[in-house]
Amino acid sequence: MTEAKRLRMDPGPLIGTHNGHFHADEALAVNLLRMLPTYNPSALVRTRDPALLSTCHTVVDVGGEYHPAQNRYDHHQRTFTTTFPSRPTRLSSAGLVYMHFGKPIIALQTGLDEGSEEVDILWRKVYEDFIEALDAHDNGISVYDPSETKDLQKRFHDGGIGLGSLVGDLNANFEDPSPAKTPEEAQEAENARFLQASSLMGSCFLRKLQYYHQAWLPARTLVHQTYDARKEYDAKGRVMLFSRGCPWKDHLYTIEAEKPDEEKVLYVLYPESEHEGAKWRVQAVSVSKDSFESRKPLPNNWRGMRDDQLSEVSGIEGCIFAHASGFIGGNKTREGALEMAKKAMDL
């Protein structure tokens, strides 16, 4: 029995994608579809044969067609220019499937109402912080405009492990010994590797969604409240003090972008844990979300010092440490951390 015939006997609408070398975008696209009840269970056929693809209920990343009404989601045709709402990056198969099916997937995974504001916020956030990079990578779009970076030189090699490289590594290497004796067996082995890649991408997607739903989204309200109360600790509003730790960075930069005339926050204070007697951190806010440069690092003569030595130099009791770069420090008490922030602003 051939692979195509076997797949067609399986239950559920048939999903089609291309065979051969696979990438992160179609690996995720297939997994996203299978999160929906319509496609679970659902068989998969990997082929470039138009006749076989025509038998599929849904086709992603192959076929040269983008017709949502016909469940065709390819992005390789020259006329394709579709982007996610309010985003500039041309979509790949991952972005296409997510744009059309992301909201019901999010609703199913979180228990939220599909039409709620929360689902819309999560839908946009997951795209911008996770899927858009996959779209850009598959379409050969650099994170920076090449004309603006042509004269820049890297200080070190930054080609570390990413999702694209992990999926790429699951493809067969050109010198790998092949145990397959027939073309059909070779295709079965390739399909098995693709399913590993698809599972990997789906797991990463769900982990990201869980974080944004259970941590990032609830923190949004807390950050707004803390931002509104910041002038209780500094007349200019340069210090934010949280009653507990939370993911604050994204939300702070969003708030500040909406209020450009307000003084920028320099330091954020929070306890290391929610236990009584927890130590406190004072963290310098970076100039932007992706920057390592602080708006105002802790004073130079504090950096790298610890405990009594730091307390003596700073004149503040209970100091624990100041990082060598000045981006963060610690104190035994809330009051001590607040004093560190206030003194640092004046130095």
Side-chain angles (χ1 to χ4, degrees), residues 121-151:
I121 290 171
L122 290 170
W123 180 63
R124 295 177 186 277
K125 182 62 176 174
V126 171
Y127 180 77
E128 292 175 14
D129 277 18
F130 180 60
I131 294 177
E132 187 170 20
L134 302 176
D135 288 342
H137 184 268
D138 198 72
N139 284 305
I141 300 171
S142 299
V143 66
Y144 296 109
D145 185 338
S147 66
E148 297 177 355
T149 60
K150 62 181 179 180
D151 296 325

Side-chain angles (χ1 to χ4, degrees), residues 255-264:
I255 293 170
E256 290 185 331
E258 294 169 350
K259 301 181 178 183
D261 296 331
E262 290 285 340
E263 190 91 19
K264 293 283 193 263

Side-chain angles (χ1 to χ4, degrees), residues 20-328:
H21 195 91
F22 49 81
H23 299 97
D25 71 310
E26 75 266 21
L28 178 59
V30 169
N31 197 279
L32 288 175
L33 289 172
R34 286 175 155 175
M35 292 181 191
L36 295 163
T38 300
Y39 297 93
N40 188 11
S42 191
L44 172 69
V45 60
R46 299 181 67 246
T47 181
R48 293 186 183 274
D49 184 342
L52 288 178
L53 291 173
S54 69
T55 67
C56 296
H57 175 277
T58 302
V59 177
V60 299
D61 209 46
V62 69
E65 295 180 274
Y66 171 45
H67 294 303
Q70 299 172 24
N71 298 307
R72 288 331 188 232
Y73 301 98
D74 194 15
H75 67 107
H76 293 98
Q77 51 274 28
R78 292 184 63 180
T79 57
F80 183 85
T81 58
T82 305
T83 64
F84 193 83
S86 303
R87 300 302 301 171
T89 305
R90 192 168 69 253
L91 298 177
S92 69
S93 62
L96 278 173
V97 169
Y98 181 77
M99 183 172 69
H100 287 282
F101 299 102
K103 287 187 177 180
I105 290 171
I106 291 170
L108 283 168
Q109 294 294 328
T110 63
L112 297 169
D113 183 82
E114 184 179 335
S116 67
E117 180 187 9
E118 290 84 357
V119 165
D120 186 70
I121 290 171
L122 290 170
W123 180 63
R124 295 177 186 277
K125 182 62 176 174
V126 171
Y127 180 77
E128 292 175 14
D129 277 18
F130 180 60
I131 294 177
E132 187 170 20
L134 302 176
D135 288 342
H137 184 268
D138 198 72
N139 284 305
I141 300 171
S142 299
V143 66
Y144 296 109
D145 185 338
S147 66
E148 297 177 355
T149 60
K150 62 181 179 180
D151 296 325
L152 295 180
Q153 292 186 352
K154 292 182 178 180
R155 294 176 176 173
F156 56 88
H157 177 63
D158 62 349
I161 293 176
L163 284 177
S165 70
L166 290 174
V167 169
D169 289 344
L170 288 170
N171 284 279
N173 292 318
F174 77 100
E175 287 188 333
D176 282 351
S178 176
K181 297 179 181 179
T182 66
E184 289 77 13
E185 289 176 337
Q187 187 60 61
E188 285 280 4
E190 183 184 279
N191 289 345
R193 292 193 299 270
F194 176 82
L195 292 178
Q196 290 181 56
S198 187
S199 177
L200 169 66
M201 293 302 300
S203 296
C204 292
F205 170 84
L206 290 175
R207 186 67 187 92
K208 282 288 187 182
L209 176 58
Q210 181 186 51
Y211 166 75
Y212 288 125
H213 173 226
Q214 297 182 2
W216 180 86
L217 190 60
R220 185 168 175 260
T221 299
L222 179 59
V223 176
H224 276 267
Q225 293 171 344
T226 305
Y227 182 85
D228 290 341
R230 72 197 187 286
K231 292 185 179 179
E232 294 178 17
Y233 309 103
D234 175 64
K236 295 182 179 180
R238 296 170 295 176
V239 175
M240 287 176 61
L241 192 150
F242 287 92
S243 59
R244 59 191 178 101
C246 74
W248 53 266
K249 290 185 179 180
D250 273 357
H251 301 300
L252 174 59
Y253 293 120
T254 299
I255 293 170
E256 290 185 331
E258 294 169 350
K259 301 181 178 183
D261 296 331
E262 290 285 340
E263 190 91 19
K264 293 283 193 263
V265 175
L266 299 180
Y267 299 108
V268 169
L269 281 59
Y270 52 88
E272 292 183 356
S273 71
E274 296 184 38
H275 300 301
E276 186 177 354
K279 299 170 184 177
W280 280 71
R281 295 290 179 96
V282 50
Q283 184 169 343
V285 179
S286 55
V287 295
S288 64
K289 185 175 75 169
D290 298 319
S291 174
F292 288 110
E293 180 185 356
S294 299
R295 290 172 176 171
K296 188 172 178 57
L298 295 174
N300 188 56
N301 65 331
W302 296 6
R303 300 177 201 173
M305 292 191 176
R306 301 189 62 86
D307 305 322
D308 292 342
Q309 184 185 29
L310 178 56
S311 291
E312 182 178 350
V313 170
S314 65
I316 301 168
E317 292 184 4
C319 288
I320 299 172
F321 77 100
H323 192 273
S325 68
F327 90 97
I328 196 168

